[in-house]
Amino acid sequence: AQSVTQPDIHITVSEGASLELRCNYSYGATPYLFWYVQSPGQGLQLLLKYFSGDTLVQGIKGFEAEFKRSQSSFNLRKPSVHWSDAAEYFCAVTSGTYKYIFGTGTRLKVLA
Amino acid sequence: SQTIHQWPATLVQPVGSPLSLECTVEGTSNPNLYWYRQAAGRGLQLLFYSVGIGQISSEVPQNLSASRPQDRQFILSSKKLLLSDSGFYLCAWRRTSGTREQYFGPGTRLTVT
């Protein structure tokens, strides 16, 4: 069955520290992969996407993600976290059809 | 540039009352449109998607329905709300070809009392 797993429900980091959010997927076809960020009470904002080519993709707000086919992973990283990065982060996958599978999210807390 | 609007932003309705949530997209033509529901601590549940005017596909059988009366307008409705309909409703669009990312509206918080 197709699925997306975000194993960390909550992550707490100090401001200025590095961040890695994990995403593992199970998908039969070649996946299109996304990371979204959601602030409380708001919609989802696209951070970055992977379709093909270079497996390290850059996104907005200083985020990057690396696609590792052998590990079925698409982890999100940021070298130095800012207090404004506190939010919930969702990984999503599609094969290009209408359907998208979303993870259950990772809530990030940033300590001053 | 493209923008997506949803209204109302928040809504409190009694059980058994009707519902109408509206979503409109600007700056693009013939988008694919989606309605999702988001429950606390859970991912997004796809409710409906549409590839064109009058073309609606339902993912989850329930007391909700959707309509697309115009190219860039997507409406979520119910004749009689249930307590379980409470949640955060998100509309999204994507292009019909090319890249596959979805763009989300600001959402509607629905509380059924």
Side-chain angles (χ1 to χ4, degrees):
Chain A
Q2 301 160 349
S3 66
V4 174
T5 302
Q6 294 182 246
D8 304 304
I9 299 174
H10 297 279
I11 282 187
T12 300
V13 299
S14 298
E15 191 171 19
S18 63
L19 172 69
E20 182 169 32
L21 302 182
R22 296 182 291 167
C23 173
N24 293 96
Y25 66 92
S26 173
Y27 219 78
T30 300
Y32 297 83
L33 295 154
F34 311 90
W35 275 100
Y36 288 88
V37 61
Q38 184 181 35
S39 296
Q42 297 186 22
L44 278 68
Q45 180 184 20
L46 179 69
L47 282 176
L48 47 78
K49 59 192 178 187
Y50 172 78
F51 295 142
S52 63
D54 192 348
T55 56
L56 183 63
V57 295
Q58 302 297 320
I60 62 171
K61 303 185 179 187
F63 286 93
E64 67 178 26
E66 186 170 13
F67 171 59
K68 293 185 178 180
R69 185 184 299 275
S70 62
Q71 299 178 20
S72 296
S73 70
F74 188 57
N75 294 348
L76 182 71
R77 301 194 295 247
K78 187 170 185 177
S80 178
V81 170
H82 188 263
W83 64 267
S84 60
D85 294 324
E88 190 156 23
Y89 293 79
F90 292 91
C91 181
V93 62
T94 183
S95 65
T97 65
Y98 71 91
K99 193 162 189 176
Y100 293 73
I101 307 296
F102 286 81
T104 52
T106 297
R107 188 170 298 277
L108 173 65
K109 181 177 179 180
V110 180
L111 301 177
Chain B
S1 64
Q2 301 85 20
T3 56
I4 178 170
H5 304 279
Q6 286 186 247
W7 64 88
T10 60
L11 192 59
V12 180
Q13 293 282 91
V15 169
S17 64
L19 173 72
S20 181
L21 303 182
E22 189 166 342
C23 170
T24 59
V25 181
E26 296 177 355
T28 188
S29 297
N30 195 30
N32 292 165
L33 295 173
Y34 296 77
W35 278 112
Y36 289 92
R37 179 167 57 204
Q38 185 179 29
R42 298 165 72 175
L44 275 66
Q45 178 188 31
L46 178 61
L47 301 175
F48 301 94
Y49 77 97
S50 171
V51 298
I53 295 174
Q55 301 179 64
I56 310 295
S57 295
S58 173
E59 284 294 297
V60 183
Q62 56 202 332
N63 68 319
L64 298 174
S65 62
S67 62
R68 186 170 176 175
Q70 300 180 42
D71 181 44
R72 289 167 290 182
Q73 184 185 31
F74 204 24
I75 296 172
L76 183 69
S77 304
S78 174
K79 292 181 180 179
K80 289 186 178 181
L81 283 169
L82 307 173
L83 285 174
S84 59
D85 291 323
S86 293
F88 193 54
Y89 288 82
L90 289 161
C91 181
W93 74 273
R94 75 168 194 186
R95 295 178 180 85
T96 55
S97 61
T99 58
R100 285 287 180 261
E101 66 271 24
Q102 289 182 310
Y103 297 95
F104 286 82
T108 294
R109 171 71 61 192
L110 172 65
T111 303
V112 183
T113 60

